[in-house]
Amino acid sequence: MIETVIRKRIEILTDTALLSRVTDAVDEAGITGWTVVPVNSGKGRDGRWREERVMGTDKVFVLTIAPEDKAQVLAEALAPVLTKYGFILSMWDVEVIRGERF
Amino acid sequence: MIETVIRKRIEILTDTALLSRVTDAVDEAGITGWTVVPVNSGKGRDGRWREERVMGTDKVFVLTIAPEDKAQVLAEALAPVLTKYGFILSMWDVEVIRGERF
Amino acid sequence: MIETVIRKRIEILTDTALLSRVTDAVDEAGITGWTVVPVNSGKGRDGRWREERVMGTDKVFVLTIAPEDKAQVLAEALAPVLTKYGFILSMWDVEVIRGERF
Amino acid sequence: MDAATLQTFTSPVVLFFVLGLLAAFARSDLAIPEAIAKGMSLYLMAAIGLKGGVAVSKSGVDSTVLIALALGIAASFLMPFLAYAVLKGFGKLERINAGAVAAHYGSVSVVTFVTAVEILEAQGKPPGGYMVAVMAAMETPAILTGLLLARGMGSKDGQKTGELLHEVFFNASVVLLLGAFAIGIIAGEEGFSEVTPFFEAGFKGVLCLFLLDMGLIAARRIMDARAITFRLVLIAIGLPLVNGAIGTAAAAACGLDVGSAAALGVLCASASYIAVPAAMRLALPEADPGIYLTMSLSITFPFNILINIGLISMLASALTGMPGGEGIAP
Amino acid sequence: MDAATLQTFTSPVVLFFVLGLLAAFARSDLAIPEAIAKGMSLYLMAAIGLKGGVAVSKSGVDSTVLIALALGIAASFLMPFLAYAVLKGFGKLERINAGAVAAHYGSVSVVTFVTAVEILEAQGKPPGGYMVAVMAAMETPAILTGLLLARGMGSKDGQKTGELLHEVFFNASVVLLLGAFAIGIIAGEEGFSEVTPFFEAGFKGVLCLFLLDMGLIAARRIMDARAITFRLVLIAIGLPLVNGAIGTAAAAACGLDVGSAAALGVLCASASYIAVPAAMRLALPEADPGIYLTMSLSITFPFNILINIGLISMLASALTGMPGGEGIAP
Amino acid sequence: MDAATLQTFTSPVVLFFVLGLLAAFARSDLAIPEAIAKGMSLYLMAAIGLKGGVAVSKSGVDSTVLIALALGIAASFLMPFLAYAVLKGFGKLERINAGAVAAHYGSVSVVTFVTAVEILEAQGKPPGGYMVAVMAAMETPAILTGLLLARGMGSKDGQKTGELLHEVFFNASVVLLLGAFAIGIIAGEEGFSEVTPFFEAGFKGVLCLFLLDMGLIAARRIMDARAITFRLVLIAIGLPLVNGAIGTAAAAACGLDVGSAAALGVLCASASYIAVPAAMRLALPEADPGIYLTMSLSITFPFNILINIGLISMLASALTGMPGGEGIAP
Ligand SMILES: Nc1ncnc2c1ncn2[C@@H]1O[C@H](COP(=O)(O)O)[C@@H](O)[C@H]1O
Ligand SMILES: Nc1ncnc2c1ncn2[C@@H]1O[C@H](COP(=O)(O)O)[C@@H](O)[C@H]1O
Ligand SMILES: Nc1ncnc2c1ncn2[C@@H]1O[C@H](COP(=O)(O)O)[C@@H](O)[C@H]1O
Ligand code: NA
Ligand code: NA
Ligand code: NA
């Protein structure tokens, strides 16, 4: 049977305009990589948003897989920004193959 | 160390045309928000679909984070529609920062 | 209360050009379906990529929900390709409604 | 094959459709991005709406227009009954699927209409501008008939019916077609002249690329098809032949000119693959898209584009006694 | 309503905007794909930049150009003060939101400008080509004033200020507008003639579809709006009236021709809904987009397109004593 | 810098490319949506294919066409050998990467070709329409040579080779180019005239925006580049110079006219960054895209657009003794 290891999968919803802040934080936490997934629309405390491209306030998901400790570093680094900009961060355990690369 | 709380992350695959039914259900369950992510193509019991825009039968993912009890309410509310329209609902536990907002 | 069952949710990041290899593997593992989600950009050991459409080297996520045993079959089948092409596979437990269809 | 049919096959518009079919059958990865395809379809609807409106602003509304509208609406309401009978009897579909498919054949395909207009104009038989309004009016009645057939009279779910009616009457293509039609009437020829280079000069080229995409999609769908029987294939070819002939004959009998009669025939012959499938997913989720989409999009649509428009054009010339173009010329 | 205003309402460009508003209010699902809308906005900016540059390559740069630039930059810096006072006083907004909204009203809306140019040209009052450069120059100063008002002088975060300034001066629309403007100057009329069919002939048609989308977005946003009070609605109509009148008067006093004076008035009257909201998300995340976007996009923008451009055009004719078109003709 | 080269730098097409480079280097957030860029590239390929086909339908096929085809195919097969030797020797790349890069330089870049045609036509040296077919024929042979060099003869994986060959011969650009070429031949000048406003009038404008995007992408990639050594930069400039000169000379020696000789030179000089990278990901996943994409897209492509097309044009004029345009005029 193939060997898997446990890592954290972290998912951050951020404004596109602020994407580089999040990815910089991922890089600084020493995590090997990240992937950006588009988002169509949403609703939160500030009401609905959609088709915000005209306003440059659209959002994306940043996904990254990291060992527990680095995930923790990232979460700590992002916590203040989260509150300020209304981002969302969630994380959970996943099994990955080729664990050595994360 | 930063404080995290456990919430449910719920993911619903739905027809774009029926998106508002799902998001209405999220709102009615008293959940604070939701996010819609685009989907390219897929395959299920009814065969492949892709490029369905011409037919208006394309799909999206609705993602939402909620406390256990509200997640349960949402799942109950959507269960009948799921079977009827062939939607997919899955959920799992995640750690979130700023737990008070969900 | 509504009945849920536990399944594996598997997520594979692959080159668009190689998508059919992954979905063929899903089909061969006897899994009932899959869903493809677009990806915007990312960073890994090979550096950043984005806007790769010109080069046909852009990526997508393949998501699929399957019982534990089939998920294992799929992971085994894909493991060699993963290393070769630099794909990423992660999986975790989710609760699903209508468990009989997966 | 006579001159008119041959000419169809040297028109770039049709050739790009054939290219799309061939590329998909050869399993090429050629694909038009979804957003571009959607953009092109919005463009085509806005352009055809505007053009129709400007034409009506010139010609005015007379009794012919009202007759054509009445004919179209009646056809959209009634055609599903014939289709339903054939689909249940010969096609062996059960009630729900038969009703869903019938709704598609009663409604219309905008792209088939647009392609027919191009071909008819090239043959010297331009349809009246008001036919755009007829098309828009024909989109929805068939949905109601189809639902009635599928579910019987006893539909109890009032809330959802309201939602459906709204969806059906304010769906994107109806709103854009009629909206642009109205703008065309208000702006008139003078106002329209400002935007002619965009909406008129570019039209055929955009149609080429759009049909390329339709060819790709139609062929890919049929290669994946599973629920389609040989009997259903026959129906998907037979219905447009019969509906097209009936529509053309009725229009000619009511005194429409050759181009408009042919256009009405094409509308009757065409099957919806945009508005109706979306409505069916809402209202008849139990019906199988693998049946109704494959029939309307992958069989009827290509059949109409490649063969039936030419046949209907000839029939219209014969029935109205107005050759128009090379249709029946030696 | 005089002839010029009426003519506005028979222009396809404006009619498509109205169609978008109506379709959204009727809760139709009509929507332009995001990528298409973005593509159209890039096209419009490239085209307007090129056109302006070519015009300047013909006319050369004289003192009028410099005066117009100075006027525009001064207006962009100063207008937020007035707006801020009104928003805090009459509008009852607190400091942060008042500063953010003020920045929007000091800056400019490219689409409002483009629509105004079309309307002014149709009235025989074409603005000078250099007004494109004026527009680009007016995009950013207001952001600085708005931030100053919102945060006071004591902004300590140097790193972020640098990031913001970069974002503001190299944002997509400034770069594309000024880049295309420069290309227009370098290529000149001869070089431009090669690309005229694309950038000039298609322009109005693309603007039609783009305004259709803007209508949809503006109406949908206002239907979802929550944070907007009646006082804020009044301000979102009053500010463009006042700013427009001041801008037009100042331009006329400085000797600009009727079209350019009207264009400067429109720039002053217009509120940004692209560059500034993005900058505010970066620099003032605490400010509420539900306020600034709804005011600029859903109230001021339609008001300018449908009414205020016509008013400013008439004012400019009256003040410069040059009727130009049918503006004040009997 | 003589007149022809100077003229290159006042062409809007080239200027937009430069704008893209500058905007990316200034770290502006200017970006063309992916779907729009893909749509434009499909449009350009359809248009160039059609145009070539129509030209051939007029001129017919003579021995020159066959000679040009043979030359192009031979060049695509053989050029990778030279490139491979240089990349391994001087460039110090190991076998896999050297083979992958060599495949890129043997194949062709559609956009470089299209830009060259525009520039050559402006200089009064239009290439023959059949050069489009030559270009399509040159896309794939180099891939086979490159794989051979990278993997040696002993490729055992039969199933994957079949998949690769299919991918290579039915890839989107080959299918669309040759399909549109065939449509152009069938439709002929008369059929093409219907779609001229879209496919011909809009062409240069679309090319402008497409090159803007290419400039952005090329510059962004080189700013992120890590695996590129100074030696590789030299090769990425030297190869197009040498290949271009050889191609032009061979074509001139075989009797092609000045424009076609220059076009063949440009095809030899250009490096693929669409079809070949995709094929390499499939067939040589171990090769590093950071090397082959950066070399072909970020160095060779700009070098060809900005400088080499002008040089090759002059060389062609000198070798064929046909000045054509202002190329070598006093
Ligand atoms: N730790 C990670 N988390 C999420 N995505 C990653 C991670 N590492 C790599 N990726 C994605 O996988 C792609 C290929 O990675 P690599 O093979 O390391 O170049 C990258 O471009 C990213 O999109
Ligand atoms: N409970 C939630 N689950 C998923 N997404 C959410 C949730 N709450 C907010 N969001 C997303 O986060 C964005 C900002 O939320 P807010 O800061 O509450 O306005 C929303 O527009 C949604 O896209
Ligand atoms: N096991 C699965 N995992 C992930 N997605 C699935 C799965 N089964 C079905 N789907 C998605 O759900 C859609 C509808 O499935 P079905 O109702 O089985 O036709 C498919 O087109 C897929 O996009
Ligand atoms: Na019909
Ligand atoms: Na302003
Ligand atoms: Na080459």
Side-chain angles (χ1 to χ4, degrees):
Chain A
M1 227 178 85
I2 197 148
E3 212 182 321
T4 61
V5 296
I6 303 294
R7 292 284 177 268
K8 283 276 178 218
R9 187 179 177 297
I10 306 141
E11 191 172 275
I12 302 149
L13 182 72
T14 165
D15 286 26
T16 307
L18 296 162
L19 173 58
S20 65
R21 297 229 181 135
V22 173
T23 56
D24 287 354
V26 175
D27 292 345
E28 274 158 36
I31 298 173
T32 53
W34 40 263
T35 302
V36 179
V37 168
V39 169
N40 277 353
S41 62
K43 203 194 102 173
R45 297 154 309 170
D46 290 347
R48 272 204 78 161
W49 63 270
R50 68 186 150 198
E51 308 175 285
E52 302 290 271
R53 78 262 174 186
V54 214
M55 285 73 79
T57 50
D58 52 334
K59 293 177 194 286
V60 286
F61 267 119
V62 180
L63 314 182
T64 183
I65 295 177
E68 167 90 46
D69 54 338
K70 289 184 182 168
Q72 208 59 45
V73 170
L74 178 61
E76 306 251 358
L78 284 178
V81 202
L82 290 186
T83 320
K84 189 159 160 205
Y85 289 102
F87 295 170
I88 292 182
L89 182 150
S90 65
M91 56 187 180
W92 61 92
D93 285 335
V94 298
E95 297 167 62
V96 296
I97 310 187
R98 298 197 301 145
E100 72 289 354
R101 66 175 290 198
F102 297 105
Chain B
M1 225 181 85
I2 197 148
E3 212 182 321
T4 61
V5 296
I6 302 295
R7 293 283 177 267
K8 282 277 177 218
R9 188 179 177 297
I10 307 142
E11 191 173 275
I12 302 150
L13 183 73
T14 165
D15 286 25
T16 308
L18 296 162
L19 172 57
S20 65
R21 297 229 182 135
V22 174
T23 56
D24 287 352
V26 175
D27 291 345
E28 274 157 35
I31 298 172
T32 53
W34 40 263
T35 301
V36 179
V37 168
V39 168
N40 276 353
S41 64
K43 202 194 105 173
R45 297 154 309 170
D46 290 347
R48 272 205 77 162
W49 62 271
R50 68 188 149 196
E51 308 176 285
E52 301 290 89
R53 78 263 176 189
V54 215
M55 286 71 81
T57 49
D58 52 333
K59 292 177 196 285
V60 286
F61 267 119
V62 180
L63 314 181
T64 183
I65 295 177
E68 167 90 46
D69 53 339
K70 290 185 182 168
Q72 208 58 45
V73 170
L74 178 61
E76 305 252 359
L78 284 177
V81 202
L82 289 187
T83 320
K84 191 160 160 204
Y85 290 101
F87 295 168
I88 292 181
L89 182 150
S90 65
M91 55 188 181
W92 63 92
D93 286 335
V94 298
E95 296 167 62
V96 297
I97 311 189
R98 296 198 303 145
E100 71 289 353
R101 65 176 290 200
F102 297 106
Chain C
M1 228 179 83
I2 197 149
E3 212 181 321
T4 61
V5 297
I6 302 295
R7 292 284 176 269
K8 282 278 178 217
R9 187 179 178 297
I10 305 141
E11 192 172 274
I12 302 149
L13 182 73
T14 165
D15 285 27
T16 306
L18 297 162
L19 173 58
S20 65
R21 297 228 182 135
V22 174
T23 57
D24 287 353
V26 175
D27 292 345
E28 274 158 36
I31 298 173
T32 53
W34 38 264
T35 302
V36 179
V37 168
V39 169
N40 276 353
S41 63
K43 203 195 103 172
R45 298 154 308 171
D46 289 348
R48 271 204 76 161
W49 62 270
R50 69 186 149 196
E51 308 176 285
E52 301 290 90
R53 78 267 176 182
V54 215
M55 286 70 81
T57 49
D58 53 333
K59 292 177 195 286
V60 287
F61 267 120
V62 180
L63 314 181
T64 182
I65 295 178
E68 167 90 47
D69 54 338
K70 290 184 182 167
Q72 208 59 43
V73 171
L74 177 62
E76 306 252 359
L78 284 178
V81 202
L82 290 188
T83 320
K84 191 160 159 204
Y85 290 102
F87 295 169
I88 292 181
L89 182 150
S90 65
M91 56 188 179
W92 62 92
D93 286 335
V94 298
E95 296 167 62
V96 296
I97 310 188
R98 298 197 301 144
E100 71 290 352
R101 67 175 289 200
F102 297 106
Chain D
M1 235 190 262
D2 76 337
T5 317
L6 250 182
Q7 196 199 23
T8 302
F9 281 98
T10 61
S11 151
V13 169
V14 173
L15 288 170
F16 269 99
F17 182 66
V18 174
L19 175 59
L21 291 173
L22 295 179
F25 284 131
R27 299 195 179 273
S28 164
D29 61 351
L30 183 60
I32 313 270
E34 184 173 327
I36 299 290
K38 190 121 191 258
M40 291 196 295
S41 103
L42 294 173
Y43 166 88
L44 292 174
M45 287 191 288
I48 192 96
L50 273 177
K51 223 170 119 186
V54 171
V56 167
S57 88
K58 274 195 288 186
S59 69
V61 174
D62 60 6
S63 65
T64 325
V65 176
L66 300 178
I67 291 174
L69 267 174
L71 258 183
I73 294 175
S76 180
F77 263 123
L78 298 177
M79 281 188 299
F81 286 104
L82 170 61
Y84 181 80
V86 177
L87 288 159
K88 257 197 106 174
F90 181 70
K92 299 188 194 288
L93 289 184
E94 79 291 26
R95 186 176 181 149
I96 298 276
N97 277 321
V101 176
H104 288 73
Y105 281 87
S107 184
V108 297
S109 148
V110 177
V111 182
T112 310
F113 176 77
V114 165
T115 311
V117 171
E118 291 305 319
I119 292 177
L120 291 169
E121 281 180 351
Q123 295 177 348
K125 315 175 192 169
Y130 57 84
M131 289 307 296
V132 173
V134 175
M135 170 172 64
M138 288 178 72
E139 281 215 38
T140 51
I143 298 178
L144 306 178
T145 310
L147 289 183
L148 197 85
L149 290 166
R151 290 203 297 210
M153 292 302 296
S155 171
K156 40 244 116 133
D157 194 337
Q159 186 241 321
K160 274 188 201 145
T161 308
E163 190 185 334
L164 180 75
L165 284 180
H166 185 274
E167 156 83 21
V168 154
F169 285 111
F170 291 97
N171 85 61
S173 67
V174 169
V175 167
L176 187 52
L177 275 173
L178 289 184
F181 189 76
I183 292 175
I185 292 182
I186 300 172
E189 189 140 31
E190 202 201 350
F192 181 56
S193 68
E194 301 173 28
V195 294
T196 308
F198 182 69
F199 283 116
E200 203 160 272
F203 192 77
K204 276 198 193 165
V206 172
L207 187 57
C208 283
L209 292 188
F210 192 75
L211 281 176
L212 174 66
D213 189 44
M214 293 304 304
L216 291 165
I217 293 176
R220 279 183 189 140
R221 171 161 280 277
I222 203 150
M223 289 191 298
D224 287 344
R226 294 193 293 201
I228 295 298
T229 64
F230 184 63
R231 284 171 178 257
L232 292 178
V233 173
L234 286 184
I235 294 177
I237 291 173
L239 274 181
L241 279 172
V242 174
N243 286 346
I246 296 177
T248 313
C254 290
L256 267 62
D257 63 287
V258 57
S260 303
L264 196 91
V266 169
L267 287 173
C268 291
S270 74
S272 170
Y273 47 82
I274 302 188
V276 182
M280 291 300 122
R281 274 300 282 169
L282 273 178
L284 288 180
E286 316 86 328
D288 182 355
I291 298 177
Y292 54 71
L293 274 177
T294 310
M295 287 181 70
S296 69
L297 182 62
S298 300
I299 306 175
T300 300
F301 179 68
F303 175 70
N304 278 330
I305 298 291
L306 299 179
I307 296 173
N308 207 21
I309 292 175
L311 296 179
I312 288 174
S313 164
M314 283 192 279
L315 181 65
S317 290
L319 290 177
T320 58
M322 290 183 287
E326 316 98 319
I328 56 172
Chain E
M1 233 190 264
D2 76 336
T5 316
L6 249 181
Q7 198 199 21
T8 302
F9 281 99
T10 61
S11 152
V13 169
V14 173
L15 288 169
F16 269 99
F17 182 66
V18 173
L19 175 59
L21 292 174
L22 295 178
F25 284 133
R27 300 197 178 272
S28 165
D29 61 350
L30 184 59
I32 312 269
E34 185 172 326
I36 299 291
K38 191 122 188 258
M40 291 196 295
S41 104
L42 294 173
Y43 165 88
L44 292 174
M45 287 191 287
I48 193 95
L50 274 177
K51 224 170 120 186
V54 172
V56 168
S57 87
K58 274 196 288 185
S59 69
V61 175
D62 61 7
S63 65
T64 324
V65 176
L66 300 178
I67 291 174
L69 267 172
L71 257 182
I73 294 174
S76 180
F77 263 122
L78 299 177
M79 282 188 299
F81 287 103
L82 170 61
Y84 181 80
V86 176
L87 289 158
K88 258 196 106 174
F90 180 71
K92 300 187 193 287
L93 289 184
E94 80 290 26
R95 187 175 180 150
I96 297 276
N97 278 321
V101 176
H104 287 73
Y105 281 86
S107 185
V108 297
S109 149
V110 178
V111 182
T112 309
F113 176 77
V114 165
T115 311
V117 171
E118 292 305 320
I119 292 177
L120 291 169
E121 282 180 350
Q123 295 178 347
K125 315 174 192 169
Y130 56 84
M131 288 308 296
V132 172
V134 175
M135 170 171 64
M138 288 179 73
E139 281 215 37
T140 51
I143 298 178
L144 306 178
T145 310
L147 289 183
L148 196 84
L149 290 166
R151 292 203 295 211
M153 292 302 296
S155 172
K156 39 246 116 134
D157 193 337
Q159 186 240 320
K160 276 189 199 143
T161 308
E163 191 185 333
L164 179 76
L165 284 180
H166 185 273
E167 155 84 23
V168 153
F169 285 111
F170 291 98
N171 85 62
S173 68
V174 170
V175 167
L176 188 52
L177 275 172
L178 289 184
F181 188 77
I183 292 175
I185 292 181
I186 299 172
E189 189 140 31
E190 204 201 348
F192 182 56
S193 68
E194 301 174 26
V195 294
T196 308
F198 182 70
F199 283 115
E200 203 160 272
F203 192 76
K204 276 199 194 165
V206 172
L207 186 57
C208 283
L209 292 187
F210 191 74
L211 281 176
L212 174 68
D213 191 43
M214 294 304 304
L216 291 165
I217 294 175
R220 281 185 187 137
R221 172 161 278 278
I222 202 149
M223 290 192 297
D224 287 344
R226 295 192 292 201
I228 295 297
T229 64
F230 183 62
R231 284 169 179 258
L232 292 177
V233 173
L234 286 185
I235 293 177
I237 290 174
L239 274 180
L241 280 172
V242 174
N243 286 347
I246 296 177
T248 313
C254 291
L256 267 62
D257 63 286
V258 57
S260 302
L264 196 92
V266 169
L267 287 173
C268 291
S270 74
S272 169
Y273 47 81
I274 302 188
V276 182
M280 290 301 121
R281 274 301 282 170
L282 274 177
L284 286 181
E286 315 87 328
D288 181 355
I291 298 177
Y292 54 70
L293 275 177
T294 309
M295 286 182 71
S296 68
L297 182 63
S298 299
I299 306 175
T300 300
F301 179 69
F303 174 70
N304 278 331
I305 298 292
L306 298 179
I307 296 174
N308 208 21
I309 293 175
L311 297 180
I312 289 174
S313 163
M314 283 191 278
L315 180 67
S317 290
L319 290 176
T320 58
M322 291 183 287
E326 315 99 320
I328 55 170
Chain F
M1 233 190 262
D2 75 337
T5 316
L6 248 182
Q7 196 199 23
T8 302
F9 281 98
T10 61
S11 152
V13 170
V14 173
L15 288 169
F16 269 99
F17 182 65
V18 174
L19 176 59
L21 292 173
L22 295 178
F25 284 131
R27 299 197 180 272
S28 165
D29 61 351
L30 184 59
I32 313 270
E34 184 173 326
I36 299 290
K38 189 120 191 260
M40 290 195 295
S41 104
L42 295 173
Y43 166 88
L44 292 173
M45 287 191 287
I48 193 96
L50 273 176
K51 223 170 119 186
V54 172
V56 168
S57 87
K58 274 196 289 186
S59 69
V61 174
D62 61 6
S63 64
T64 325
V65 176
L66 301 178
I67 291 173
L69 266 173
L71 259 182
I73 294 174
S76 180
F77 263 121
L78 299 178
M79 281 187 300
F81 287 103
L82 170 61
Y84 182 79
V86 177
L87 289 158
K88 258 198 105 174
F90 181 71
K92 298 186 193 289
L93 288 184
E94 80 290 26
R95 186 177 181 149
I96 298 275
N97 277 321
V101 176
H104 288 73
Y105 281 86
S107 184
V108 298
S109 150
V110 178
V111 182
T112 310
F113 176 77
V114 164
T115 311
V117 170
E118 292 305 318
I119 292 176
L120 291 169
E121 281 180 351
Q123 295 178 348
K125 315 175 191 168
Y130 56 85
M131 288 307 295
V132 173
V134 175
M135 168 172 64
M138 287 178 73
E139 280 216 38
T140 51
I143 297 177
L144 306 178
T145 311
L147 289 183
L148 197 84
L149 291 166
R151 291 203 296 210
M153 291 303 295
S155 172
K156 38 241 117 141
D157 193 338
Q159 186 240 319
K160 276 189 201 143
T161 308
E163 191 185 334
L164 180 75
L165 284 180
H166 184 273
E167 155 84 21
V168 153
F169 285 111
F170 291 97
N171 84 62
S173 67
V174 170
V175 167
L176 187 52
L177 274 172
L178 289 184
F181 189 76
I183 291 175
I185 292 181
I186 299 172
E189 190 140 32
E190 202 202 350
F192 181 56
S193 68
E194 301 174 28
V195 294
T196 308
F198 182 69
F199 283 115
E200 203 161 271
F203 192 77
K204 276 199 192 164
V206 173
L207 187 57
C208 284
L209 292 187
F210 192 75
L211 281 175
L212 174 67
D213 190 44
M214 293 305 303
L216 290 166
I217 294 175
R220 279 183 188 139
R221 172 161 279 278
I222 203 149
M223 289 191 299
D224 287 345
R226 294 193 293 201
I228 295 298
T229 63
F230 184 62
R231 285 170 178 258
L232 292 178
V233 173
L234 286 184
I235 294 177
I237 291 173
L239 274 180
L241 279 171
V242 174
N243 286 347
I246 296 177
T248 312
C254 291
L256 266 62
D257 63 287
V258 57
S260 303
L264 196 92
V266 169
L267 287 172
C268 291
S270 75
S272 169
Y273 47 81
I274 302 188
V276 182
M280 290 301 122
R281 273 300 283 170
L282 273 177
L284 287 180
E286 315 87 328
D288 182 356
I291 299 178
Y292 53 71
L293 274 177
T294 310
M295 286 182 70
S296 67
L297 181 62
S298 300
I299 306 175
T300 301
F301 178 68
F303 175 70
N304 278 330
I305 298 290
L306 298 179
I307 297 173
N308 208 20
I309 292 175
L311 297 180
I312 289 174
S313 164
M314 283 192 279
L315 181 66
S317 290
L319 290 176
T320 58
M322 290 183 288
E326 314 99 321
I328 55 171

